[in-house]
Amino acid sequence: MKDVQSGPADVALPIDRVGVKNLSLPVRVRTRDDKEEVRHTVAEVDLYVDLPAHFKGTHMSRFIEALEGWSEALDYVSFKTLLQSVCDRLEARRAHIRFRFPYFLTKKAPASGSPGTMDYKVTLTGELEDDQLTWGLGVDVPVMTVCPCSLAICDGGAHSQRAIVRVLTRHTGFLWIEDLIAIAEAAGSSPVYALLKREDEKVVTDDAFANPAFVEDVVRAAARALSDHPQIDWYRVEVESQESIHNHNAYASIESENEL
């Protein structure tokens, strides 16, 4: 049959990214605490290649074929294998991919030890060019914050709220999702939990009020920890506080000065 896509383009301009978006794919993600264990989840996948000026179009079915032929757990090697397969199938010089998925962890309450399932929104990106993989990992982490100003001016009380710490990194080698979650949670006044008994609520509240933090404090603490991480080459951290007594959200961000 005639291969229309490989024919000449009406407008001979190169395309930076062409491909497929919003594919749903079951994936397996390795865990830090037990490297042989995997978490099952469903990812939304975007997959692209560059297209030279002389080609009219790309072969969309080959993206799907690459995904269907790939069934490994997500790690550095399998990610690179998938992108290389895309480059080979599409005869492309450069391939891009993005996975977005919920990552589930069992988290024990601080006093009772009661287990509860937490979900974290994860983004995994990759670009392969000339056999060199550049990849990034991001995660959205909820934390609790207590306002230092409110605590200082009120008699025995202060307003508190949930904040989202959004971390995006570029790194060398493999970086665990759990590492970024730990950095984000440590930056807030307290972590949040899926299940809390009364004794747990007391511990969380007491700890949070002993560690009040503005949104500026949270973003700086997270940025410092990301800067100190030996595998992280670049990062951007954003903190958005869902204010409990204001009709707006508070926001702060810091981006690494290192080049991507």
Side-chain angles (χ1 to χ4, degrees):
M1 293 184 181
K2 185 177 180 180
D3 187 357
V4 177
Q5 288 95 326
S6 297
D10 297 331
V11 179
L13 286 175
I15 298 177
D16 296 327
R17 296 189 183 192
V18 58
V20 295
K21 285 177 64 73
N22 299 329
L23 286 166
S24 292
L25 184 74
V27 295
R28 296 174 296 136
V29 186
R30 298 193 187 280
T31 64
R32 181 188 63 184
D33 297 332
D34 183 352
K35 297 179 179 59
E36 299 303 317
E37 183 185 1
V38 292
R39 303 282 183 182
H40 293 264
T41 187
V42 176
E44 183 180 276
V45 183
D46 301 337
L47 191 54
Y48 318 105
V49 293
D50 64 323
L51 188 69
H54 58 276
F55 283 134
K56 184 176 183 63
T58 192
H59 295 80
M60 298 294 180
S61 63
R62 296 180 185 178
F63 291 102
I64 312 302
E65 288 175 338
L67 287 171
E68 289 295 330
W70 178 84
S71 61
E72 302 178 60
L74 277 176
D75 59 24
Y76 183 87
V77 174
S78 69
F79 210 56
K80 186 174 182 180
T81 298
L82 175 58
L83 284 167
Q84 188 61 63
S85 173
V86 172
C87 283
D88 293 343
R89 290 173 186 270
L90 277 299
E91 301 180 35
R93 184 175 59 89
R94 184 169 62 247
H96 314 262
I97 194 168
R98 177 169 64 177
F99 283 82
R100 288 168 292 193
F101 55 87
Y103 185 64
F104 297 96
L105 287 176
T106 300
K107 189 174 180 181
K108 293 183 178 180
S112 68
S114 300
T117 301
M118 290 286 296
D119 64 292
Y120 302 91
K121 296 178 181 178
V122 174
T123 301
L124 186 60
T125 62
E127 177 180 308
L128 185 68
E129 182 175 8
D130 299 327
D131 200 43
Q132 295 298 311
L133 175 61
T134 301
W135 72 330
L137 178 65
V139 63
D140 293 1
V141 181
V143 300
M144 176 185 176
T145 60
V146 172
C147 176
C149 179
S150 178
L151 187 62
I153 64 177
C154 296
D155 295 328
H159 74 85
S160 59
Q161 52 275 317
R162 186 186 302 180
I164 301 298
V165 182
R166 182 171 293 112
V167 178
L168 181 63
T169 66
R170 294 289 176 92
H171 46 89
T172 303
F174 196 75
L175 181 65
W176 295 106
I177 297 170
E178 290 89 342
D179 290 347
L180 296 185
I181 293 172
I183 287 172
E185 289 186 335
S189 296
S190 171
V192 300
Y193 297 84
L195 174 61
L196 293 173
K197 299 292 188 179
R198 280 175 293 181
E199 59 267 36
D200 301 310
E201 290 190 10
K202 182 181 187 308
V203 170
V204 169
T205 304
D206 286 344
D207 287 350
F209 273 71
N211 185 34
F214 290 123
V215 68
E216 296 93 335
D217 298 317
V218 179
V219 78
R220 284 170 172 150
R224 180 176 60 186
L226 292 166
S227 296
D228 292 340
H229 197 289
Q231 287 179 274
I232 294 176
D233 301 320
W234 171 90
Y235 66 83
R236 181 170 65 244
V237 56
E238 302 174 294
V239 181
E240 185 169 352
S241 177
Q242 301 163 348
E243 295 290 286
S244 59
I245 66 170
H246 303 291
N247 191 30
H248 58 261
N249 288 357
Y251 174 85
S253 69
I254 295 177
E255 185 169 339
S256 168
E257 295 181 356
N258 296 336
E259 294 184 1
L260 293 179

